[in-house]
Amino acid sequence: MKTVYVLNGPNLNLLGMREPAIYGSSTLADVQKLCEEACARNGLALVFRQTNHEGEMVDWVHEAGRVHAKGELAAVVMNAAAYTHTSVAILDAVKGTGVPLLELHVSNVQARESFRHHSYLSATARAVMCGLGVAGYGLAIEAVAQW
Ligand code: DQA
């Protein structure tokens, strides 16, 4: 059984109360449940985490890279949140480990402020999804189950 790492960046612990007009009313616990159900449907194991710290995200990509090296990783589904637009360190971790990456955003970042239009991760991601709300997490898992 392969494993999907669903990694969430800063402020996503505030889902449900954070700018609900943009991010909706589901909590991160709701998102985790949705991911668990999608993984169960697709015969995948799930590692689901959230951090407000860039280095911790880098460490988790390295951990996923070790799973990848054993041939046991389906993909990393990452909502790097604000680090998407700032983090060369996370980009280098993805490049350095070679993990297959699906970059995910709850909101349509292209329809928002211009500083959200650039992603350090997109060029190294195998796929990018945004604007589907938290349902995007379930759809992302359905997609990487085919990788
Ligand atoms: C986000 C979009 C980012 O621009 C923002 O910084 C986030 C969340 C999203 O899921 O829509 O924190 O990644």
Side-chain angles (χ1 to χ4, degrees), residues 10 12 18 23 79 81-82 85 105-107 109 112 116:
L12 290 168
R18 171 191 186 199
Y23 297 112
N79 186 347
H85 317 299
H105 304 283
V106 173
S107 66
V109 285
R112 298 181 63 194
R116 296 184 203 276

Side-chain angles (χ1 to χ4, degrees), residues 1 4 24 37 39 47 52 61-62 69 75 102 110 117 121 125 133 141:
M1 182 186 274
V4 181
E37 288 166 359
C39 282
V47 172
N52 294 321
V61 174
H62 293 179
L102 188 152
Q110 297 304 326
H117 296 177
L121 301 177
I141 289 169

Side-chain angles (χ1 to χ4, degrees), residues 27 32 35 37 43-45 54 57 62 72 76 81 98 100 110-111 118 135:
T27 65
Q32 180 165 358
C35 291
E37 288 166 359
L44 294 166
E54 185 176 16
M57 183 67 92
H62 293 179
E72 295 170 1
V76 174
Q110 297 304 326
H118 176 259

